[in-house]
Amino acid sequence: MKKVDAVFEGGGVKGIGLVGAVSVIEKAGYKFENLAGTSAGAIVAGLLAVGYNSEEIEKELKKLNYNQFKDEKFPSKCKWLWKGLKILFKKGIYKGDYFEEWFEKLLVKKGKSKFGDIRTEYKEDKYKYKLQVIASDLTDQCLLVFPGDLQKFGINPDDYSISKAIRMSMSIPIFFEPVEIKDKNNLIHYIVDGGVLSNYPVWLLDDGSCNPKWPTFGFKLMEPQKRSLKKANPNPIKNTINYCYSIIGTLLNGHDNYHISESKGDYDRTIGIPTVIEVNNLKKEIGTTCFDITEEESDLLYKNGELTAEKFLENWNFQNWIEEYRKTATNGNSMN
């Protein structure tokens, strides 16, 4: 089988589109070697890392009721007041416990729930574990890559829960409560969705060589057109909660949607999966927190992933990519 590293973008319920693309890559004879992802991308990468294939992942996601992720019920009266109080005192509306428990059960099915269970034979730190998970540290205002960065908090990565790390990566600020970790000085760090700082870290698994042994494929949502600025999508702000959602949506979707490096070949190794679907002759863009997504809409997103990956493979040639973007680089400073 042909080896490939893979980096998956975050995108909430749209993650089913990533799985559709993965199914095509698997059928083409590729084996995933090193994996990384943010938020929903971390979910897909995590399941692949412990031994799930695309068919199994699709089955599990289709059984899932995303509304169960809203593991907090509020009184019908003054619902917005209760949500506001949750934000004020807990820094997030929903606990996130249901997601973590759901994901942990999936990991246990494969007998791999700790990072130590997915250690590799590579000596390099960045490849020591099969999975890399992106999160954002609001306290230090910096990007975190787990499990490696757990050492900053005096935590042994081998013993740390994969589901907890992915719970951090998918913790959309304000929507979910942040995960709290204390450092060696007893300072509390609030960890949230990796998409706040990098929703699509396609560079993460690069080895720094001019002649990489195998490629890295990027699986990216909301990038159907090459380097085009996303058109405005008006989101009327009616109250404070809606205002908070708008801020977070802008943070998660704005920076990575516009630019993918062309000089390093990032666009050419990206499978850009459209999140616009057509239902009853009407086009609809699926949003990150569209937890009411229907089975039909999920199927259409999955199909988008399949079609995009098929088209990608028709044009992909690894050796040509190396010649154009790596061997022509000067001073050997290019990244794979």
Side-chain angles (χ1 to χ4, degrees), residues 59-66 68-69 98 102:
K59 181 180 178 181
E60 293 296 340
L61 292 184
K62 284 190 173 181
K63 288 192 300 185
L64 182 64
N65 178 359
Y66 291 99
Q68 291 179 308
F69 287 173
Y98 178 86
W102 167 75

Side-chain angles (χ1 to χ4, degrees), residues 91-161:
K91 300 177 180 62
I93 297 172
Y94 303 107
K95 295 178 181 179
D97 293 344
Y98 178 86
F99 166 82
E100 189 173 339
E101 292 167 4
W102 167 75
F103 200 80
E104 181 69 18
K105 290 177 182 177
L106 295 181
L107 298 180
V108 170
K109 285 183 180 180
K110 295 294 184 180
K112 298 176 182 178
S113 60
K114 308 291 185 184
F115 277 102
D117 296 327
I118 55 171
R119 260 184 172 271
T120 70
E121 297 180 355
Y122 294 110
K123 295 181 180 180
E124 300 92 336
D125 285 342
K126 73 159 60 179
Y127 306 123
K128 191 177 292 184
Y129 301 90
K130 192 172 183 68
L131 173 68
Q132 307 291 323
V133 177
I134 307 301
S136 300
D137 183 341
L138 296 184
T139 302
D140 278 353
Q141 299 181 14
C142 69
L143 187 75
L144 294 175
V145 181
F146 294 133
D149 283 340
L150 287 166
Q151 297 178 68
K152 295 181 179 180
F153 304 98
I155 298 172
N156 181 353
D158 280 0
D159 299 329
Y160 202 76
S161 165

Side-chain angles (χ1 to χ4, degrees), residues 49-235:
V50 300
Y52 281 88
N53 60 36
S54 59
E55 184 178 350
E56 293 173 311
I57 298 173
E58 180 192 13
K59 181 180 178 181
E60 293 296 340
L61 292 184
K62 284 190 173 181
K63 288 192 300 185
L64 182 64
N65 178 359
Y66 291 99
N67 276 306
Q68 291 179 308
F69 287 173
K70 300 178 181 180
D71 50 2
E72 187 86 21
K73 293 184 178 180
F74 301 98
S76 56
K77 292 183 178 179
C78 304
K79 181 183 292 186
W80 291 110
L81 174 60
W82 282 100
K83 289 185 176 182
L85 291 173
K86 280 283 297 191
I87 293 172
L88 181 63
F89 292 104
K90 294 292 185 178
K91 300 177 180 62
I93 297 172
Y94 303 107
K95 295 178 181 179
D97 293 344
Y98 178 86
F99 166 82
E100 189 173 339
E101 292 167 4
W102 167 75
F103 200 80
E104 181 69 18
K105 290 177 182 177
L106 295 181
L107 298 180
V108 170
K109 285 183 180 180
K110 295 294 184 180
K112 298 176 182 178
S113 60
K114 308 291 185 184
F115 277 102
D117 296 327
I118 55 171
R119 260 184 172 271
T120 70
E121 297 180 355
Y122 294 110
K123 295 181 180 180
E124 300 92 336
D125 285 342
K126 73 159 60 179
Y127 306 123
K128 191 177 292 184
Y129 301 90
K130 192 172 183 68
L131 173 68
Q132 307 291 323
V133 177
I134 307 301
S136 300
D137 183 341
L138 296 184
T139 302
D140 278 353
Q141 299 181 14
C142 69
L143 187 75
L144 294 175
V145 181
F146 294 133
D149 283 340
L150 287 166
Q151 297 178 68
K152 295 181 179 180
F153 304 98
I155 298 172
N156 181 353
D158 280 0
D159 299 329
Y160 202 76
S161 165
I162 297 172
S163 58
K164 176 66 74 175
I166 294 179
R167 155 76 172 89
M168 288 187 272
S169 183
M170 56 73 66
S171 296
I172 300 172
I174 296 180
F175 200 88
F176 290 108
E177 294 178 17
V179 175
E180 300 179 13
I181 302 182
K182 288 185 179 180
D183 64 19
K184 298 175 183 178
N185 297 317
N186 219 32
L187 176 67
I188 296 176
H189 292 249
Y190 294 95
I191 315 300
V192 300
D193 196 312
V196 170
L197 293 177
S198 183
N199 209 27
Y200 182 59
V202 68
W203 43 267
L204 186 64
L205 298 176
D206 290 341
D207 67 1
S209 74
C210 292
N211 190 25
K213 295 180 180 179
W214 56 80
T216 294
F217 290 167
F219 296 75
K220 181 168 174 50
L221 298 158
M222 299 181 70
E223 189 73 17
Q225 296 180 354
K226 186 174 182 179
R227 218 130 16 259
S228 61
L229 185 60
K230 188 174 165 68
K231 293 182 180 179
N233 183 22
N235 180 32

Side-chain angles (χ1 to χ4, degrees), residues 1 22-30 32 48 52-55:
M1 296 182 74
V22 166
S23 70
V24 172
I25 301 303
E26 287 179 338
K27 290 173 185 175
Y30 284 95
F32 292 106
L48 289 170
Y52 281 88
N53 60 36
S54 59
E55 184 178 350

Side-chain angles (χ1 to χ4, degrees), residues 126 203 206-210 212 264 266 269 321 325-326 329 332-336:
K126 73 159 60 179
W203 43 267
D206 290 341
D207 67 1
S209 74
C210 292
K264 294 181 180 179
D266 288 347
R269 60 178 174 173
W321 185 87
Y325 296 110
R326 291 301 178 261
N333 290 326
S334 63
M335 300 294 286
N336 131 6

